[in-house]
Amino acid sequence: MARKIAPALFYLLGKDALPARFQVVGFSRRDWSDDDLRAHVTEILLERQPDADPEAVERFCHLFTYQRGSFEDESAYVRALARLSEIDAEWGMCTNKLYYLAVPPEHYETIFRNIAASGLAKTCSDAEGWTRVLVEKPFGNDAKTSQALDELLASLFREEQIYRIDHYLAKEMLQGILNFRFDNNLFEMSWDRSAIERIDISLLETIGVEKRGRFYDGVGALRDVGQNHLLQMLALVTMDQPESLDPNAIRAARARLLESLLLLTAEDVARDTYRAAYRGYREIEGVAPDSDTETYFKLRTVLDGRRWAGVPVTMEGGKRIGTAPRKEIVVTFRQPPQCMCSLGQPHNDKVIFTLEPTEMIEIHFWAKAPGFEDSAEERTFDFFLYEKAEKAQYVEEYAKLLLDAIRGDQTLFVSTDEVRAMWRFVDPIVCAWRENRVQLEAYEANTDEAPRVAAERLASGVPQRGELGIVGLGKMGRSIARNALDHGWTVVGYNRTVSVAEGMAGEGLLPARTLAEFVAELRPPRVVWLMVPAGKPVDAMLFGLDGRDGLADLLEPGDIVIDGGNSFYKDALERSSRLAERGVGFLDAGTSGGPSGARHGACLMIGGDRALFEQVEPLIADLALPGGYRFFDDVGAGHFVKMVHNGIEYGMMQAIAEGFEVMHRSPYEFDLEQVADLYQHGSVIESRLMGWLADSFRLYGRELGDVSGIVGRTGEGEWTVRVAEEFGVDARVLADALRFRVESEHGPTFVGQILTAMRHQFGGHAVLSPSDEQTSRNPAGGAGPA
């Protein structure tokens, strides 16, 4: 009341922001009169604002009246209702009522129940006389007590009456983050995992626990600032743009981000968190002599979801740290993919949102240094929200919160979904600390010892990405392996031709000579990416052949197999069922983009069980292009989407090839490379296929002389046509495209050459010269091409 509410209301009065009719009724057990309360408020204001206008202070203090009563005394609430009814009668209207609980959380239940039972929470009607309650953090001590508090509130009040305060949301800087992101197009288009390397959030204070020992010792730094302030800061800097400016839409966007956070296991907590207390903390009044409460912590995790999966985050908070407060969010961008690096070493751009010691936004980038030499230097754009050092802590934040509560705007108040998600993330950490998975350490007050030691302990800077096993190191498998290695995954590889795996050892891959050795190298729960040809090779690798063990015989319950090849979707259903009998999970992953996509970012279509998918989503996000993956419920759905994709691909390629043969036969001497390149710039048939065709003409000339007119095919085009017939779909374009490829074996054409050229560009498929076609049609043994 003294630090926040009275000064904030006085601030609003000075800004002429309070309602024309406004009164504060104080409720406490003290034996006071109205004049006693007014004298107390006067003392508060003069102590904090000695230069305040005495007339303004006197006018403000006359807004206060007093009602005596204890929290447990039901009759006191009835008397309070009578007092408020007198004000209604005096003003000749049904007044709005805002109840602010400036009390320790252990009194919440008693007060809430008495407010509801006495009729204080009732409104005059739906049209006038609202009542609202303001609740300060902490919202419970864990998920269980938080849920109990929520259930209590829900039984007594409607959600639109409940205003849960996290005053950090009212800080100008945090409000400004959403404007910085969503009112501009400067960064938001690349504000995701494709461009951002890491996010680091700090709330480091020089003040200590002081007179809050009894309260703080039951809470600690993590629950004091981590469960609320830090997670809200993370939500604001990473949430998706809300559907509208409506408060419910904004709160829902924050909640969705918080609900997507990956939970830390006990092993994660042991590896990725640090906690300590400053020396002298246990001597503070109210703190237990053997206290195990942290006054500083640091944790690291990775984000999840399509936009952020795999991006590392660190959060730290603490008291008695350093000589000046440091409260900031640092967003670090990835190094440019083709860095000029005039400094001779790579560098990272940053956006820094600083709350203290000054409220400002800084953009750190690199530019040419003045002078004759070709060198770069770091530059900074900055924008100060406040340049006045005398800004009073809490006053403007609480003024904003109180005014929004009066206006009925819940944007800056925490929803029940957010509270639930925040405890869901924090509870496993608190539980592991109680089990002493992370030993409490000590640090010297008012030094940087704790952050320095924490940084050393968490020296790798990012959580371990994890391990991935890849079976099948052909063109696609090798590219997947290299992509995963680039993203920091430990990759174990197996190929039937052992030398292929061993040849990648210099790139960081761990080669295995046998499947048994392959499985043994991976720690459970294992993730195995299968990249072998569709059909029997997949079954042989999974379930064995000729008495040899397959992966299913070697894996353990909880392991996951991802079939990344072009398998038929019905085969995925059978394989999933057989693996499930052994407790092994299965996902089907349609992979598009060819070897280049697999290497630098594929388009991935995932089917299976959603819970399994969420376990491997960071891996999927690392292997895919930004925005280049989707999950589809049910086994086989990913391979089905990929199957149809390939059928469509057949039809599109056929249309392009036929159109270019028309131009090829025309009386005009078209430069077909130039035509394809032109179509690739703004036309409605612009596509990657058209770009690959332009590359083909550039490589092989207008006549495509070294390219075969016999068009290879995989099974997926045929499967699509067959499934279309099964479903009664008239897929004549796809059927004709497939028929052309079959007939090309006996009558090569220029259309076939175009198709082969495009297949080579995106898939690395073989290109045969016309002189090889007869051999291809009738190879030794008499079998036709696949």
Side-chain angles (χ1 to χ4, degrees):
M1 192 277 200
R3 290 187 303 146
K4 303 171 181 178
I5 305 192
L9 289 173
F10 185 62
Y11 179 87
L12 288 174
L13 181 70
K15 296 292 185 181
D16 198 26
L18 289 176
R21 290 184 179 272
F22 185 79
Q23 190 167 127
V24 181
V25 179
F27 183 96
S28 173
R29 67 176 181 270
R30 296 174 184 175
D31 188 13
W32 277 2
S33 65
D34 290 352
D35 288 339
D36 291 329
L37 176 59
R38 290 165 181 165
H40 179 56
V41 173
T42 301
E43 183 181 345
I44 289 170
L45 294 181
L46 293 179
E47 178 184 345
R48 282 164 173 73
Q49 301 182 46
D51 297 331
D53 179 3
E55 291 185 5
V57 171
E58 183 177 0
R59 186 169 68 253
F60 175 70
C61 289
H62 274 83
L63 298 176
F64 286 74
T65 62
Y66 187 73
Q67 180 71 36
R68 186 184 179 190
S70 68
F71 299 153
E72 299 80 11
D73 184 0
E74 296 178 10
S75 63
Y77 294 83
V78 176
R79 293 194 298 273
L81 177 61
R83 176 70 187 100
L84 297 183
S85 298
E86 290 175 7
I87 298 173
D88 284 9
E90 180 184 335
W91 290 357
M93 63 180 66
C94 178
T95 58
N96 301 315
K97 300 171 183 68
L98 186 68
Y99 299 108
Y100 187 107
L101 275 65
V103 301
E106 59 264 27
H107 297 297
Y108 281 171
E109 181 173 356
T110 299
I111 295 173
F112 285 141
R113 289 193 183 280
N114 283 328
I115 287 176
S118 65
L120 282 168
K122 290 182 179 178
T123 58
C124 297
S125 70
D126 291 338
E128 62 175 346
W130 51 252
T131 63
R132 295 167 185 154
V133 293
L134 281 163
V135 186
E136 281 274 9
K137 74 171 184 70
F139 313 116
N141 290 315
D142 52 27
K144 183 178 179 180
T145 56
S146 172
Q147 182 178 349
L149 176 60
D150 257 347
E151 290 174 353
L152 171 66
L153 287 169
S155 70
L156 304 174
F157 310 100
R158 300 187 306 276
E159 178 66 18
E160 59 265 28
Q161 291 180 281
I162 305 167
Y163 287 69
R164 302 173 187 84
I165 294 178
D166 181 344
H167 72 270
Y168 261 64
L169 285 173
K171 288 185 175 291
E172 287 284 358
M173 174 54 67
L174 296 194
Q175 294 178 64
I177 288 176
L178 296 189
N179 296 97
F180 176 85
R181 291 183 55 195
F182 301 132
D183 288 353
N184 304 292
N185 201 25
L186 186 62
F187 291 107
E188 189 60 25
M189 294 296 288
S190 58
W191 199 261
D192 55 33
R193 65 185 307 277
S194 66
I196 291 175
E197 181 177 281
R198 62 182 297 113
I199 298 171
D200 301 283
I201 308 177
S202 300
L203 285 184
L204 303 178
E205 302 177 290
T206 55
I207 61 172
V209 173
E210 277 83 39
K211 298 178 181 180
R212 300 171 66 218
R214 193 173 307 280
F215 162 78
Y216 194 90
D217 203 43
V219 177
L222 177 62
R223 287 186 286 184
D224 187 41
V225 300
Q227 182 270 338
N228 35 71
H229 304 334
L230 283 165
L231 288 176
Q232 285 290 345
M233 292 164 73
L234 177 63
L236 291 172
V237 84
T238 57
M239 61 186 265
D240 287 336
Q241 183 165 348
E243 296 175 358
S244 69
L245 295 178
D246 180 78
N248 289 332
I250 295 172
R251 300 203 306 170
R254 294 198 308 251
R256 282 193 295 273
L257 185 284
L258 293 168
E259 288 164 354
S260 75
L261 294 176
L262 291 170
L263 304 187
L264 275 64
T265 65
E267 291 74 21
D268 295 333
V269 173
R271 183 186 62 231
D272 296 326
T273 70
Y274 175 87
R275 63 187 185 121
Y278 62 83
R279 293 182 177 90
Y281 167 72
R282 289 175 176 172
E283 282 72 54
I284 294 173
E285 183 180 353
V287 175
D290 59 347
S291 171
D292 194 41
T293 299
E294 79 287 349
T295 60
Y296 169 86
F297 75 93
K298 184 170 186 174
L299 67 86
R300 60 183 184 184
T301 184
V302 291
L303 294 175
D304 200 8
R306 192 168 65 247
R307 181 170 189 163
W308 294 104
V311 173
V313 172
T314 69
M315 290 179 278
E316 63 177 344
K319 293 188 173 296
R320 294 287 188 194
I321 304 294
T323 56
R326 180 163 61 87
K327 303 180 181 181
E328 64 185 12
I329 305 170
V330 181
V331 179
T332 302
F333 286 75
R334 299 185 187 277
Q335 297 167 2
Q338 294 180 325
C339 178
M340 293 173 62
C341 296
S342 304
L343 291 178
Q345 60 182 10
H347 51 263
N348 300 86
D349 301 328
K350 295 180 181 179
V351 175
I352 303 176
F353 303 94
T354 302
L355 287 75
E356 288 189 38
T358 55
E359 291 193 275
M360 62 187 298
I361 299 173
E362 299 173 87
I363 302 172
H364 292 247
F365 66 103
W366 295 78
K368 184 184 181 303
F372 298 112
E373 301 301 324
D374 183 16
S375 61
E377 62 183 10
E378 188 174 19
R379 301 284 182 86
T380 303
F381 284 141
D382 53 47
F383 170 68
F384 289 86
L385 290 186
Y386 286 96
E387 299 196 37
K388 294 183 178 180
E390 64 269 19
K391 178 177 179 284
Q393 188 181 29
Y394 298 126
V395 172
E396 291 185 24
E397 290 94 329
Y398 272 81
K400 173 66 173 170
L401 291 170
L402 291 168
L403 186 58
D404 281 358
I406 292 169
R407 291 170 171 171
D409 184 346
Q410 289 186 307
T411 303
L412 302 181
F413 296 87
V414 184
S415 69
T416 184
D417 289 339
E418 292 172 89
V419 173
R420 187 181 301 116
M422 290 188 290
W423 279 122
R424 176 175 171 268
F425 178 78
V426 167
D427 272 359
I429 303 172
V430 174
C431 182
W433 285 356
R434 282 176 180 162
E435 295 172 354
N436 207 31
R437 295 291 188 112
V438 178
Q439 184 177 354
L440 182 73
E441 307 211 12
Y443 64 94
E444 287 299 324
N446 302 112
T447 71
D448 291 319
E449 180 184 0
R452 177 179 55 77
V453 173
E456 292 171 357
R457 295 289 175 84
L458 311 180
S460 62
V462 297
Q464 177 65 39
R465 274 292 203 272
E467 294 180 346
L468 171 66
I470 298 181
V471 174
L473 296 171
K475 292 192 297 283
M476 293 292 290
R478 286 197 301 271
S479 295
I480 290 285
R482 288 169 177 143
N483 191 349
L485 286 166
D486 284 351
H487 282 91
W489 290 83
T490 299
V491 179
V492 180
Y494 170 78
N495 198 73
R496 282 194 307 172
T497 305
V498 176
S499 60
V500 174
E502 292 177 338
M504 295 186 66
E507 301 177 56
L509 180 135
L510 302 175
R513 299 182 62 83
T514 65
L515 277 180
E517 182 182 320
F518 169 82
V519 171
E521 283 286 341
L522 294 165
R523 291 177 299 179
R526 304 170 182 86
V527 177
V528 176
W529 189 287
L530 206 58
M531 212 65 175
V532 299
K536 291 182 179 179
V538 178
D539 289 322
M541 197 62 70
L542 284 175
F543 306 110
L545 187 68
D546 299 330
R548 289 177 296 179
D549 285 342
L551 281 168
D553 300 300
L554 301 167
L555 295 175
E556 300 174 355
D559 294 345
I560 299 173
V561 171
I562 304 173
D563 181 3
N566 288 331
S567 293
F568 188 43
Y569 80 98
K570 291 184 179 180
D571 293 339
L573 291 166
E574 182 180 346
R575 290 163 186 156
S576 175
S577 178
R578 292 181 66 182
L579 288 170
E581 293 174 357
R582 304 166 185 253
V584 176
F586 178 87
L587 295 169
D588 48 287
T591 307
S592 182
S596 176
R599 178 68 182 86
H600 301 292
C603 175
L604 297 174
M605 308 151 215
I606 316 297
D609 178 77
R610 184 172 293 275
L612 290 178
F613 165 73
E614 290 175 351
Q615 291 182 47
V616 301
E617 188 172 8
L619 168 67
I620 299 298
D622 278 345
L623 297 180
L625 279 173
Y629 72 91
R630 292 293 188 279
F631 172 77
F632 303 98
D633 282 301
D634 293 331
V635 176
H639 279 158
F640 192 98
V641 173
K642 179 58 163 59
M643 175 189 72
V644 175
H645 163 282
N646 279 27
I648 294 170
E649 176 189 297
Y650 274 39
M652 292 174 66
M653 291 174 67
Q654 189 71 24
I656 291 171
E658 290 174 1
F660 272 80
E661 180 160 32
V662 171
M663 279 189 285
H664 184 254
R665 294 195 182 194
S666 74
Y668 301 102
E669 289 292 325
F670 287 117
D671 183 329
L672 297 182
E673 177 194 337
Q674 292 298 317
V675 174
D677 188 66
L678 174 63
Y679 286 167
Q680 197 54 5
H681 288 81
S683 82
V684 295
I685 58 173
E686 179 180 357
S687 67
R688 297 182 74 187
L689 290 170
M690 195 65 71
W692 283 321
L693 179 58
D695 292 340
S696 298
F697 284 126
R698 189 175 302 117
L699 282 172
Y700 302 113
R702 183 178 186 274
E703 303 298 324
L704 299 177
D706 294 330
V707 178
S708 173
I710 297 175
V711 190
R713 64 186 189 278
T714 59
E716 296 205 52
E718 183 176 348
W719 296 338
T720 309
V721 173
R722 195 168 77 213
V723 170
E725 293 173 352
E726 180 184 334
F727 295 164
V729 176
D730 183 10
R732 64 187 67 183
V733 172
L734 309 188
D736 286 346
L738 173 64
R739 187 178 304 110
F740 177 89
R741 295 195 180 197
V742 174
E743 293 174 353
S744 73
E745 297 179 17
H746 308 288
T749 63
F750 187 66
V751 170
Q753 288 180 271
I754 292 175
L755 292 171
T756 298
M758 283 192 285
R759 291 184 81 242
H760 174 70
Q761 287 297 315
F762 69 75
H765 301 290
V767 177
L768 297 175
S769 66
S771 62
D772 295 323
E773 287 173 356
Q774 185 63 34
T775 304
S776 176
R777 284 196 294 270
N778 297 290

